[in-house]
């Protein structure tokens, strides 16, 4: 048995309270190396001889590890436990708080080898909003969704043409009135959450260069109109998430312009990370211009980075964050470049928002493993790119085999607590990426197969506006074409609608249940979901028809007992 591969860390994603009396415990061993793991546990103040024991269940196979889990009862709200590990080679060990020892009664009963949770404090438990687990998000890039009010179109607005290839500076006149006019459409599609790209005053079409966080951009409308959008969305059971850029300000903001004008005498100089004066012209080190005069997002001179350790900046940003919740009743924030802001600020941010709305949803934009932000005191979840990009690596680019895909995804699930995985925001494309139909080389069946695979995962799924219309587009800015409203109720629309409908109908299991990923002997990818019901989805990503006897609840390319390439079936059981 590979002793170096045996691992467990208490009070982490390997050991977390589910509620006041239950603890979820995970253990990891080398792949195909361990026969059985028994966990022994009791109350901290009971003798170890009073142990209960339970055999752990193998819940997944990763690249190099088998993953095991069990749920333990803690009737007195505290617990101690140790692991009995039996290898396939006959090895018999105890893995405890002080290391690995041979299995015998003396070692098993030694209190010092037990991991301990001193008390299951309610306030320390990681909680994620329950409603998110029933939510299907729809991302709207406001400037390109619908033009409902031509009177606020900026100068030079182009004609609404879904076939255009937008330039970075182009405007098409999309606005909040256009969203309001189409709320019934969104309800018909089946989504129950809107994720808005920024709507605040800014000079660009994308609005990530914020000038004033307390104003709706006039080309989108005003606060009264935004309030109406939120109220009407809520009437239809649709939650609203806004996008905030708290890592940096736009260079046209009042605060930065004061620094440009007054330099070291500016009262806002400590709001930013300034290296030297004057701050203009900006020196871009990526272009060989020397050391930058100030810190920015990437090396983007128009986006000076905020000093979020400054209490004045914290108060300024927290006023904004709470303002839109208190006065407009938004339900969630998506936080741009969240990983480049200090943890101290995000902890304050979290506390202020859940004080107003205990079930408030906070999503960070983080493209890598995000464990430091996901311990219950900062974010509910993150945009789950490390997870969903693996899906693309198999379904679209074929960089991974089906076996490699399920191993990578299983390892990813082990990085976070169950309730955190359930609150992750899953998407296959967005305003930052090429559209899935384009990445799928125009193969609509393949695009919808991959989308369905994502919808079967744990986490809150999100589709990008126009996916239901079969829209295409390369990387930014081509992925931001004007919405193609001519395809409403068409064949692609109908298939996406049915998928959304299925996810919501089965959200108790898909949003909260367990997930087991595997590959069948016929090389189909199997996704088994267990919760209030048992569901299994099978995906054919091979180039051959696969014989299959199924009675699909939902399917694609399944005919006469054969699952064809780019096909899937979802069945009971």
């Amino acid at each position: 048995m590979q002793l170096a591969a045996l691992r467990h860390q208490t009070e982490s994603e390997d050991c977390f309270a589910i509620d006041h009396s239950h603890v979820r415990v995970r253990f990891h061993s080398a792949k195909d190396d361990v026969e059985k793991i028994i966990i022994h546990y009791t109350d901290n103040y009971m003798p170890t001889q009073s142990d209960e024991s339970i055999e752990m269940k193998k819940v997944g196979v990763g690249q190099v590890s088998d993953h095991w889990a069990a749920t333990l009862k803690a009737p007195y709200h505290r617990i101690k436990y140790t692991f009995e590990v039996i290898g396939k080679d006959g090895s018999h060990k105890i893995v405890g708080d002080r290391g690995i020892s041979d299995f015998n009664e003396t070692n098993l009963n030694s209190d010092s080898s037990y991991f301990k949770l001193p008390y299951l404090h309610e306030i320390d438990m990681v909680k994620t909003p329950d409603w998110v687990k029933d939510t299907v998000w729809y991302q709207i890039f406001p400037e390109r969704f619908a033009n409902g009010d031509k009177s606020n179109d900026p100068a030079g607005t182009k004609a609404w043409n879904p076939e255009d290839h937008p330039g970075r500076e182009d405007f098409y006149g999309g606005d909040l009135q256009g969203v309001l006019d189409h709320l019934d459409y969104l309800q018909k599609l089946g989504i129950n959450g809107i994720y808005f790209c920024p709507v605040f005053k800014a000079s660009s079409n994308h609005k990530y260069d914020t000038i004033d966080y307390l104003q709706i951009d006039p080309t989108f409308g005003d606060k009264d109109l935004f309030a109406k959008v939120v109220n009407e969305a809520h009437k239809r059971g649709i939650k609203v998430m806004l996008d905030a850029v708290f890592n940096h300000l736009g260079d046209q903001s009042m605060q930065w312009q004061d620094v440009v004008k007054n330099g070291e005498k500016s009262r806002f100089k400590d709001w930013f990370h300034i290296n030297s004066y004057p701050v203009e012209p900006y020196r871009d080190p990526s272009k060989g211009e020397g050391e930058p005069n100030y810190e920015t997002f990437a090396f983007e001179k128009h986006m000076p980075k905020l000093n979020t350790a400054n209490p004045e900046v914290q108060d300024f940003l927290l006023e904004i964050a709470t303002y839109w919740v208190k006065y407009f009743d938004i339900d969630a924030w998506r936080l741009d470049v969240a990983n480049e802001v200090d943890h101290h600020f995000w902890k304050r941010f979290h506390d202020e928002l859940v004080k107003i709305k205990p079930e408030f949803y906070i999503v960070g934009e983080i493209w890598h493993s995000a464990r430091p932000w996901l311990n219950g005191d900062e974010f509910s979840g993150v945009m789950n790119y490390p997870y969903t990009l693996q899906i693309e690596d198999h379904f679209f680019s074929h960089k991974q085999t089906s076996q490699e895909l399920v191993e990578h995804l299983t390892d990813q699930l082990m990085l976070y607590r169950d309730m955190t995985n359930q609150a992750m925001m899953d998407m296959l494309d967005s305003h930052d990426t090429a559209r899935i139909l384009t990445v799928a080389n125009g193969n609509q069946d393949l695009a919808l197969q991959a989308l369905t695979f994502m919808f079967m995962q744990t986490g809150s799924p999100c589709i990008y506006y126009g996916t239901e219309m079969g829209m295409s587009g390369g990387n930014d800015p081509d992925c931001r074409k004007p919405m193609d409203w001519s395809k409403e109720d068409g064949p692609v629309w109908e298939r996406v609608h049915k998928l959304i409908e299925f996810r919501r109908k089965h959200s108790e299991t898909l949003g909260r249940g367990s997930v087991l990923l595997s590959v069948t002997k016929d090389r189909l990818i199997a996704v088994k979901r267990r919760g209030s019901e048992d569901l299994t989805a099978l995906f054919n990503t091979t180039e051959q028809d696969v014989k299959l006897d199924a009675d699909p609840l939902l399917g694609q390319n399944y005919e006469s007992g054969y699952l064809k390439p780019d096909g899937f079936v979802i069945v009971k059981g």
Side-chain angles (χ1 to χ4, degrees):
M1 186 163 56
Q2 297 182 44
L3 301 187
L6 304 178
R7 58 187 172 88
H8 168 81
Q9 183 177 347
T10 194
E11 295 204 61
S12 72
E13 63 276 0
D14 286 346
C15 174
F16 50 92
I18 299 172
D19 56 39
H20 202 35
S21 301
H22 293 87
V23 176
R24 185 71 169 167
V25 177
R26 295 175 181 159
F27 191 91
H28 314 279
S29 63
K31 187 187 292 188
D32 201 31
D33 188 49
V34 167
E35 186 68 39
K36 183 188 295 187
I37 301 177
I38 300 166
I39 186 166
H40 301 266
Y41 64 100
T42 188
D43 181 78
N44 287 354
Y45 294 97
M46 293 287 194
T48 55
Q49 289 86 350
S50 70
D51 274 349
E52 291 188 55
S53 62
I54 185 172
E55 186 172 333
M56 300 188 81
K57 182 179 179 182
K58 189 186 291 188
V59 293
V61 177
Q63 279 188 280
V64 298
S65 299
D66 285 341
H67 304 293
W68 309 76
T71 300
L72 311 181
K73 293 178 291 184
Y76 306 113
H77 323 303
R78 60 200 176 214
I79 199 168
K80 61 184 177 185
Y81 58 93
T82 194
F83 300 95
E84 177 186 352
V85 183
I86 302 170
K88 292 196 172 182
D89 62 359
S91 301
H92 201 167
K93 300 292 181 180
I94 291 173
V95 180
D97 189 47
R98 297 191 183 177
I100 301 171
S101 59
D102 291 333
F103 178 83
N104 55 52
E105 288 300 313
T106 300
N107 289 340
L108 178 61
N109 291 326
S110 174
D111 190 78
S112 64
S113 80
Y114 278 62
F115 296 98
K116 294 179 175 66
L117 286 182
Y119 196 81
L120 306 184
H121 289 282
E122 182 80 21
I123 198 169
D124 289 337
M125 293 180 193
V126 175
K127 300 183 184 70
T128 51
D130 196 54
W131 59 266
V132 172
K133 297 150 197 178
D134 300 312
T135 302
V136 176
W137 296 96
Y138 186 92
Q139 183 187 1
I140 291 178
F141 192 84
E143 220 282 319
R144 306 292 159 80
F145 183 66
N147 187 346
D149 181 1
K150 293 186 179 297
S151 70
N152 60 15
D153 289 0
T157 294
K158 299 180 72 172
W160 197 271
N161 181 3
E163 301 303 317
D164 268 3
H165 297 279
R168 293 197 177 279
E169 312 301 324
D170 290 343
F171 288 85
Y172 288 86
D175 50 34
L176 290 175
Q177 186 62 50
V179 177
L180 184 65
D181 293 344
H182 289 89
L183 286 178
D184 287 341
Y185 162 80
L186 294 174
Q187 186 177 24
K188 179 180 74 169
L189 179 62
I191 64 96
N192 55 343
I194 297 173
Y195 155 35
F196 282 106
C197 288
V199 296
F200 308 124
K201 186 177 181 181
S203 56
S204 65
N205 53 38
H206 55 72
K207 310 302 177 192
Y208 282 96
D209 52 342
T210 315
I211 293 174
D212 188 345
Y213 295 94
L214 295 175
Q215 295 297 325
I216 297 293
D217 192 274
T219 65
F220 289 167
D222 57 24
K223 290 180 183 177
D224 287 343
L225 178 57
F226 178 70
K228 192 170 184 181
V229 169
V230 176
N231 291 337
E232 289 298 319
H234 284 169
K235 285 180 185 176
R236 292 164 174 79
I238 298 172
K239 302 285 188 179
V240 175
M241 175 159 58
L242 287 186
D243 200 331
V245 190
F246 290 161
N247 176 67
H248 51 267
L249 277 179
D251 64 346
Q252 297 305 306
S253 62
M254 174 270 291
Q255 294 89 342
W256 182 250
Q257 285 301 307
D258 191 84
V259 173
V260 172
K261 180 180 178 183
N262 298 310
E264 288 187 81
K265 295 180 180 177
S266 170
R267 71 184 182 94
F268 296 108
K269 68 183 179 67
D270 293 330
W271 280 44
F272 303 93
H273 296 272
I274 298 172
N275 301 324
S276 61
Y277 297 94
V279 294
E280 290 187 347
Y282 175 71
R283 295 187 295 272
D284 186 343
S286 69
K287 297 177 180 176
E289 296 171 356
E291 293 302 305
N293 356 21
Y294 56 93
E295 306 294 318
T296 61
F297 166 66
F299 295 113
E300 176 48 68
K301 66 180 181 179
H302 299 298
M303 298 179 179
K305 183 176 175 63
L306 284 163
N307 176 15
T308 48
N310 182 333
E312 286 185 18
V313 175
Q314 292 183 17
D315 291 344
F316 167 71
L317 296 178
L318 292 173
E319 178 187 0
I320 293 159
T322 55
Y323 175 80
W324 294 98
V325 183
K326 288 177 182 174
Y327 299 108
F328 296 86
D329 199 28
I330 68 166
D331 306 287
W333 278 113
R334 180 266 188 186
L335 304 166
D336 194 59
V337 204
N339 57 338
E340 296 187 25
V341 177
D342 62 89
H343 291 283
H344 179 270
F345 173 73
W346 288 135
K347 287 179 169 69
R348 279 199 68 192
F349 181 90
H350 170 273
D351 289 349
E352 291 300 318
L353 288 164
V354 298
K355 195 185 298 180
I356 303 168
K357 270 191 177 184
E359 286 276 286
F360 197 82
Y361 184 43
I362 304 171
V363 184
E365 182 205 17
I366 297 179
W367 289 63
H368 52 81
S369 297
R371 281 183 282 189
W373 291 268
L374 294 171
N375 292 310
D377 56 354
E378 295 185 46
F379 305 155
S380 316
V382 297
M383 300 180 80
N384 206 6
Y385 288 115
Y387 197 84
T388 55
L389 289 175
Q390 309 273 12
I391 298 173
E392 296 188 12
D393 281 350
H394 174 68
F395 282 82
F396 299 148
S397 65
H398 310 296
K399 293 178 184 176
Q400 291 184 358
T401 66
S402 54
Q403 187 63 43
E404 288 171 336
L405 172 70
V406 301
E407 290 172 355
H408 279 81
L409 293 183
T410 300
D411 284 338
Q412 284 285 323
L413 288 170
M414 293 299 115
L415 294 179
Y416 309 116
R417 298 163 176 87
D418 293 342
M419 61 283 286
T420 304
N421 282 322
Q422 293 164 6
M424 299 294 260
M425 191 175 182
D426 296 342
M427 74 286 296
L428 290 179
D429 55 0
S430 72
H431 66 291
D432 283 328
T433 68
R435 288 183 173 274
I436 55 170
L437 183 58
T438 295
V439 181
N441 292 316
N443 182 340
Q444 188 66 72
D445 283 351
L446 175 58
L448 292 178
Q449 183 196 43
L451 189 68
T452 303
F453 182 83
M454 185 194 81
F455 266 60
M456 287 300 296
Q457 305 305 309
T458 190
S460 192
C462 178
I463 68 168
Y464 188 39
Y465 82 94
T467 293
E468 75 276 27
M469 306 299 197
M471 288 179 65
S472 62
N475 286 321
D476 163 27
D478 198 49
C479 57
R480 303 172 180 181
K481 295 176 182 178
M483 177 71 152
D484 188 353
W485 288 105
S486 69
K487 304 289 183 15
E488 182 178 350
D489 297 326
V492 176
W493 189 97
E494 192 59 42
R495 290 159 78 183
V496 174
H497 165 64
K498 286 181 178 177
L499 175 59
I500 295 169
E501 192 175 55
F502 181 87
R503 170 74 192 210
R504 291 189 59 190
K505 180 180 178 182
H506 299 277
S507 66
E508 187 60 36
T509 293
L510 298 179
R512 298 171 181 82
S514 66
V515 56
L516 179 63
L517 304 167
S518 63
V519 178
T520 72
K521 60 181 176 59
D522 294 317
R523 294 193 296 144
L524 301 179
I525 302 174
V527 183
K528 295 183 180 179
R529 302 302 312 271
R530 302 293 180 257
S532 60
E533 59 186 331
D534 290 348
L535 297 171
T536 298
L538 296 166
F539 297 84
N540 186 357
T541 59
T542 75
E543 296 178 353
Q544 290 83 36
D545 294 358
V546 175
K547 187 170 177 57
L548 185 69
D549 182 16
D551 182 15
L553 300 171
L554 191 69
Q556 173 179 285
N557 291 349
Y558 177 67
E559 299 172 14
S560 305
Y562 285 89
L563 186 61
K564 298 179 179 296
D566 304 329
F568 68 85
V569 293
I570 305 173
V571 299
K572 285 274 191 184

